[in-house]
Amino acid sequence: MSADEHAIQTVERLLDVLDLDATQARTTEDIFTGSSHPMPSGRIYGGQVLAQTLVAAERTLPEDRAVHSMHGYFLRPGDASQGITIAVDRIHDGRSFSTRRTQAYQNGVPIFSMIASFQDADPGVEHAEPMPSGIPVPEELVPDEDRVPGLAGGARRMLSDRAADIRHVDSPLYLPNDDARVPRQAVWMRLRAPLPGDQRLHRAALAYLSDMTIQESILRAHGVSWSLPGLKVASLDHAMWWHRPARVDEWLLYVQESPSARGGRGLATGRVYTREGTLVASVAQEIMIRVPADR
């Protein structure tokens, strides 16, 4: 299989996961079902359920009413070998805004709960934090899977088989490195193959990508790599605000920092820019993090 064919295949798998089925079942909610990516850990990747719940919510709205914010909680680990049921509660529809509560279930219990708000296009005041200067362009960086000597074959395949091309500006954190212990980092990201033009799909795919690497500003502050024996990390919640439209099959810069960690929890924030410097989205996530005391 050629590199281009492999890239297309990885993105097609993502599109399959985001292509939810509507069911005939109805309560007071709209019901959808979906599947999951296989994962080495057996747990559902958090960004996947973020994207799926957003797709389900937007299915209950007109195309011109777009998501502008979401707040979600990861309640239980999901099982990637099982299907997912997604229920959408149409909480409110106003003249300009709509609100949806969406929950993803497995085995009859919720694994993720989200409230999202949607708005018609509307004029108003505008400003944006500028993109940081001095960041190398993505073409100057090597894809993560080709940049980590000594990475186990299975882990390398997991990186190369994901739908996203991720390129860290600093050293990736899959293995220990000698980088400075600072609570910030930046990564370039894009899907490996083109998507259709539907902005709803691009917004969902951006939610999918937003859960990748954001935890690392916390790890980097303490010189911790993902391979540290005994390290335990779990996402607790995730918030996202969409500011402007963008394509996720074109390069986006994800600038991340951690303002605080305490009590076994760490907070990470992120801003997503186009390569031209347009601020596309803002993200915040809190994680549970437990680092072995004897590392």
Side-chain angles (χ1 to χ4, degrees), residues 19 54 60-61 96 99 107 113 148 150 175 225 281:
D19 186 19
L54 179 59
T60 71
L61 290 156
S96 299
T99 307
N107 299 316
S113 182
V148 188
L175 296 174
S225 72

Side-chain angles (χ1 to χ4, degrees), residues 216-286:
E216 293 178 352
S217 58
I218 302 163
L219 303 184
R220 197 175 290 276
H222 301 277
V224 174
S225 72
W226 289 111
S227 63
L228 177 67
L231 174 68
K232 295 183 179 180
V233 174
S235 301
L236 299 174
D237 63 359
H238 194 94
M240 188 168 179
W241 298 262
W242 288 258
H243 306 308
R244 296 166 183 85
R247 295 189 63 94
V248 295
D249 49 12
E250 298 176 353
W251 285 114
L252 299 169
L253 179 68
Y254 199 1
V255 180
Q256 305 157 356
E257 62 181 357
S258 174
S260 177
R262 185 180 182 276
R265 303 185 316 276
L267 177 65
T269 63
R271 300 191 306 275
V272 182
Y273 294 90
T274 67
R275 68 182 301 158
E276 292 77 25
T278 300
L279 180 61
V280 172
S282 299
V283 182
Q285 184 178 107
E286 190 171 43

Side-chain angles (χ1 to χ4, degrees), residues 60-232:
T60 71
L61 290 156
E63 291 186 18
D64 56 356
R65 187 159 286 193
V67 65
H68 68 88
S69 70
M70 64 79 64
H71 301 261
Y73 282 88
F74 298 97
L75 304 175
R76 296 174 176 85
D79 183 346
S81 68
Q82 297 185 28
I84 301 173
T85 300
I86 299 171
V88 182
D89 186 359
R90 304 188 186 204
I91 293 177
H92 174 71
D93 287 300
R95 288 185 298 176
S96 299
F97 289 86
S98 293
T99 307
R100 297 290 185 267
R101 180 174 60 237
T102 309
Q103 295 202 109
Y105 293 86
Q106 285 189 319
N107 299 316
V109 295
I111 62 171
F112 179 75
S113 182
M114 174 187 82
I115 289 184
S117 182
F118 305 78
Q119 183 190 14
D120 295 339
D122 211 1
V125 298
E126 186 165 336
H127 72 272
E129 181 74 13
M131 186 169 74
S133 59
I135 302 289
V137 298
E139 291 81 6
E140 295 177 355
L141 302 171
V142 177
D144 281 1
E145 58 267 26
D146 297 328
R147 197 174 168 190
V148 188
L151 192 65
R156 189 183 186 283
R157 282 193 301 274
M158 183 182 71
L159 297 181
S160 61
D161 285 348
R162 62 188 177 184
D165 184 346
I166 305 291
R167 304 187 182 192
H168 282 72
V169 172
D170 297 307
S171 300
L173 287 184
Y174 309 117
L175 296 174
N177 61 62
D178 296 325
D179 285 1
R181 296 189 176 189
V182 294
R184 65 188 62 88
Q185 69 170 15
V187 301
W188 286 100
M189 60 184 184
R190 70 172 177 183
L191 293 187
R192 297 182 187 272
L195 286 187
D198 185 349
Q199 267 296 310
R200 293 174 300 179
L201 187 56
H202 286 266
R203 290 191 293 268
L206 185 56
Y208 180 92
L209 295 177
S210 71
D211 190 36
M212 286 186 181
T213 73
I214 189 171
Q215 308 87 357
E216 293 178 352
S217 58
I218 302 163
L219 303 184
R220 197 175 290 276
H222 301 277
V224 174
S225 72
W226 289 111
S227 63
L228 177 67
L231 174 68
K232 295 183 179 180

